[in-house]
Amino acid sequence: MSEQQFFKVIIDNVSIDVPAGTTILEAARKIGGDVAPPAMCFYSKLKGSGGKCRTCLVEVSKGSEKDPRPMPKLVASCRTTVMDGMEVKNITSSKVTDARAGVVEFLLLNHPLDCPICDQAGECHLQDLSYEHGKAGTRYEFQRRTFKKHNLGPYIQLHMTRCILCYRCVYTADQLTNSRSHGVLDRGDHAEIATFIENNLENDFIGNVIDVCPVGALTDKTFRFKNRVWFLKPLDAHRDCPKCTGKVTLWNRGDEVFRVTARKDEWGEVEDWICNECRFDKKKTSDWVIEGPRNISRHSVISQGHYVNTITSQETFEAVNEGRQPKLLFDIHSKSDVNKTGVSLSLIDGPAVSTDFTS
Amino acid sequence: MAVKLLLDKAHIPNIRYYDVYRREGGYTSLEKALTSMTPESILEEVKKSGLRGRGGAGFPTGLKWSFIAKPEGVPRHLVCNADESEPGTFKDRYLMEFLPHLLIEGLVISSFVLGSNATYIYIRGEYAWIPDILEQAISEAKANGWLGKNILGTGFDCEIYVQRGAGAYICGEETALIESLEGKRGNPRIKPPFPAIKGVWDRPTVVNNVETLAAVVPIIRIGGEEYARIGVGRSSGTKLMSACGNINKPGVYEIDMTISVEEFIYSDEFCGGIANGKRLKACIPGGSSVPILPANLLLKTAKGETRYMNYESLSDGGFATGSMMGSGGFIVLDEDQCIVKHTFTLARFYRHESCGQCSPCREGTGWMEKILKNIDTGKGKMSDIDLLWDIQSKIEGNTICPLGDAAAWPVAAAIRHFRDEFEWHVKNPTTCLTKNYGIAHYADEIHVPVIA
Ligand SMILES: Cc1cc2nc3c(=O)[nH]c(=O)nc-3n(C[C@H](O)[C@H](O)[C@H](O)COP(=O)(O)O)c2cc1C
Ligand code: SF4
Ligand code: SF4
Ligand code: FES
């Protein structure tokens, strides 16, 4: 094999060398922090994903060393590969931030905002996206879209009104299970995730659609309404599983396992796919070998600061913006008596109770 | 009398059938191409002709063909885009209904150039009766040795298959068409890779419009240089226009792109003037996706020059004061037409036809439709007009395929040129339900046509 070719790209004034064939998004993730564009549909582990949600749009201000012309339109960074000498503007381009705020508004247009009763709240990428890139308030004055309800069987709960049509669950079913029994029916704003005709989602490994779904459209029926995720202790655990790696995160309260998920990396992507048995059937602590607290690397607004060793993104904003200070996320914990900062859920013995937070 | 290259024989009875088509000189271009020319020399003629894609974007056909990848051992395909679903466009239907053999002849020549042994016609589902016409023509052509194995002893094999769509406008977009042809959901693909590299079944593919492929026949007959002499500058050859709306003679017309817009609308050879003695208010010159123009900017450019029926002149002034040739769907609106209602109708179409893959198009088209409906029914607010402008600007350029742009442009152009009519609707919420704004203010200078 010939030697791997490396390209130099500059993203938001930060330079990095990446192998040819890398996408702008992946290159930006290597830099990390605010430079990495948000991605609601791209999933590095799912072939063919990306390009749809348009949250990762960036400006290419210089095409390459050879052809320095800027690209005429904003491009989807998840599906555009880098060229040598390319210069990209993400948060340093007002065109990008404007367009992105527009995309967030579009994504929220018909979203029910039923976070208070949504199991995804606290680990929802749409919540993060809205906080970080959206605008306060809505200009939409019409009734939000509703759908006829479909039952997907005993494992998976579908809330179509929350779906952002990222197609990740479709690719997951295609690429992980032996046959796909759901998909996108109809088109445009009336497109919906459904089975044809009324079918259960029960194939092995289908449970992974819950983990890839960026919003609360597909949630775990065996965990439905049982608890809020931020009251649970995430623990790394494993078991000898004949079908998958058996490496999971348990979400416990005391000794009680509330739910089992795959382990997710810093971008919210699954590290190892897990089988349905591990996810839905092994709900006793004794089923598992506990490794210790899971380091949650998400920047979710609600989970912020409540897990041991939370990996917060390294602050690149100052470097990128020539010393200007980063914008501050609204820090809910400093305002609220309930979720005090400095209280680490993973370290509380037994079930967390409200005084754990107010003391 | 204008030059006709495509429709010159369309009036001959039974030209639809092989015997008559052949008697009238049909298949001589194919014979010439396959027996006395090489794929390279045909490509050269097409390049010289300056032929530009007639499907909407106007991309030079010869150049497009030269991009097709030729990896060893991988089949290549030509796909004829007969999905024709752009509101106001019906020229391909006319060609296929009356001159199916002209299309077949063009297809075989083009397949020969591109090395396509299996060529597809993807036809819009609503054209339910046309596949029969095409299939009959295909079997006639095959029976007479113009299709099939070893055509004219050249060793070149070619089969043509007709595939019907299922009623989605988006399947006219070339990559959605390819997905649909493969039997999948018609979602546009993310480009690159372009079809010329990875098209149908990941094989190199060229997608061309019906009219583009039919035009290859006269190009071979008269030669690329001769073809390029017809028309003006980069608008060479002839173009089919589908004329409809408030005109005396709606129909399909072949023009040589040298006539003025005014002549096209008012001359008896073409549209025959505005119907019922009304006055011209506005026109969409190239199919529903292109910007609408008010009468004054339609007949004359912003510089006061005569506007002609060709690619360059129609787009003179950019989107600020010009429009586009597009697919040649020429929609004329008289003084009784309401721009708000008209824009609402188009918005409804695009909302319904969006594939729903990308958020700006999926959500934005529905939002625009709802606001336009409000304004149309007297429930609009002044701020809605700016909001519409903002929404369309957030869609344009930020989507996977050009349908997003096609949905944004008509709204943008309507507000750009007819803002006062939108405001009138908001200020007169009850009157606007029963009366029209007419052409009272913006087209004050009513143009008196020279040709009557
Ligand atoms: C939403 C959409 C619909 C389209 N519909 C058609 C169509 O019905 N017929 C067509 O020939 N081209 C259509 N096109 C253009 C095709 O994508 C493509 O450019 C064309 O078939 C190329 O052929 P040409 O080079 O001969 O013009 C459409 C494009 C878009 C974005
Ligand atoms: S259900 Fe979830 S994963 Fe599937 S398309 Fe909708 S948002 Fe994406
Ligand atoms: S622009 Fe509209 S039609 Fe085109 S891919 Fe996006 S959602 Fe589909
Ligand atoms: S993450 Fe790139 S378009 Fe969705």
Side-chain angles (χ1 to χ4, degrees), chain A residues 48 50-54 57 73-74 79 98-99 101-103 105-107 109-110 135 139-143 145 163-165 167 184-191, chain B residues 167-170 185 187-188 190 192 351-360 362-364 366-367 370-371 374 381 384 387 390-391 394-395 397-400 405:
Chain A
K52 300 188 197 298
C53 70
R54 319 304 284 177
L57 291 174
K73 293 194 227 168
L74 303 183
R79 290 293 294 253
D98 261 9
V103 173
E105 184 174 32
F106 287 134
L107 285 175
L109 215 55
N110 277 294
K135 296 208 165 99
R139 299 182 290 176
Y140 192 63
E141 297 176 338
F142 303 91
Q143 196 156 12
R145 194 162 58 218
C163 171
I164 60 158
L165 283 171
Y167 282 67
V184 179
L185 298 190
D186 222 316
R187 64 174 181 241
D189 63 354
H190 36 300
Chain B
Y169 168 63
I170 191 57
R185 183 187 160 82
N187 279 358
I190 295 146
R351 194 269 300 155
H352 188 258
E353 296 300 333
S354 160
C355 83
Q357 267 191 109
C358 38
S359 13
R362 177 182 66 241
E363 304 295 343
W367 195 5
K370 290 194 179 78
I371 296 172
N374 266 359
K381 300 195 293 277
D384 282 346
L387 181 56
D390 192 54
I391 299 171
K394 291 264 159 53
I395 301 175
N398 291 337
T399 56
I400 296 176
D405 302 338

Side-chain angles (χ1 to χ4, degrees), chain B residues 52-59 61 64 81-86 92 169-175 207-210 212 401-403:
Chain B
R52 290 165 71 177
R54 307 295 196 221
F59 193 81
T61 307
K64 183 166 178 172
N81 188 343
D83 194 59
E84 194 170 58
S85 318
E86 176 105 339
D92 297 343
Y169 168 63
I170 191 57
C171 289
E173 195 281 332
E174 53 184 6
T175 56
V207 181
N208 272 132
N209 174 255
V210 171
T212 314
C401 89
L403 189 140

Side-chain angles (χ1 to χ4, degrees), chain B residues 170-401:
Chain B
I170 191 57
C171 289
E173 195 281 332
E174 53 184 6
T175 56
L177 185 155
I178 288 171
E179 286 280 300
S180 174
L181 190 59
E182 288 181 7
K184 300 183 193 146
R185 183 187 160 82
N187 279 358
R189 291 180 180 173
I190 295 146
K191 291 178 264 190
F194 290 91
I197 313 291
K198 277 185 173 190
V200 197
W201 302 293
D202 280 355
R203 298 166 180 171
T205 302
V206 165
V207 181
N208 272 132
N209 174 255
V210 171
E211 186 190 344
T212 314
L213 293 165
V216 172
V217 178
I219 290 174
I220 297 305
R221 185 171 67 232
I222 64 175
E225 260 161 48
E226 193 55 37
Y227 187 89
R229 261 195 282 278
I230 302 163
V232 277
R234 293 183 57 236
S235 298
S236 64
T238 62
K239 172 89 189 84
L240 297 185
M241 300 298 297
S242 327
C244 68
N246 308 114
I247 44 176
N248 280 315
K249 291 167 58 196
V252 176
Y253 296 102
E254 183 166 6
I255 59 164
D256 66 7
M257 298 204 260
T258 56
I259 59 168
S260 68
V261 177
E262 187 165 332
E263 183 180 349
F264 185 68
I265 296 180
Y266 291 102
S267 136
D268 276 334
E269 198 186 334
F270 302 108
C271 303
I274 308 300
N276 308 317
K278 299 277 181 181
R279 291 175 301 172
L280 172 68
K281 175 171 179 175
C283 171
I284 305 176
S288 65
S289 307
V290 311
I292 188 171
L293 285 179
N296 44 6
L297 283 175
L298 176 73
L299 304 178
K300 294 236 184 302
T301 66
K303 287 173 262 167
E305 292 160 3
T306 306
R307 206 185 276 283
Y308 290 94
M309 296 287 290
N310 61 51
Y311 290 95
E312 285 73 31
S313 186
L314 282 175
S315 58
D316 187 287
F319 277 9
T321 59
S323 184
M324 275 169 82
M325 173 65 107
S327 59
F330 196 85
I331 308 169
V332 179
L333 282 72
D334 73 15
E335 57 191 297
D336 292 343
Q337 305 310 315
C338 169
I339 298 294
V340 175
K341 190 180 271 338
H342 171 82
T343 312
F344 162 57
T345 308
L346 289 184
R348 188 176 57 191
F349 172 79
Y350 288 107
R351 194 269 300 155
H352 188 258
E353 296 300 333
S354 160
C355 83
Q357 267 191 109
C358 38
S359 13
C361 173
R362 177 182 66 241
E363 304 295 343
T365 51
W367 195 5
M368 292 199 300
E369 182 201 341
K370 290 194 179 78
I371 296 172
L372 281 162
K373 185 174 182 183
N374 266 359
I375 301 178
D376 182 43
T377 51
K379 293 183 215 129
K381 300 195 293 277
M382 243 1 153
S383 61
D384 282 346
I385 304 171
D386 288 330
L387 181 56
L388 272 177
W389 185 266
D390 192 54
I391 299 171
Q392 68 79 23
S393 74
K394 291 264 159 53
I395 301 175
E396 193 207 342
N398 291 337
T399 56
I400 296 176
C401 89

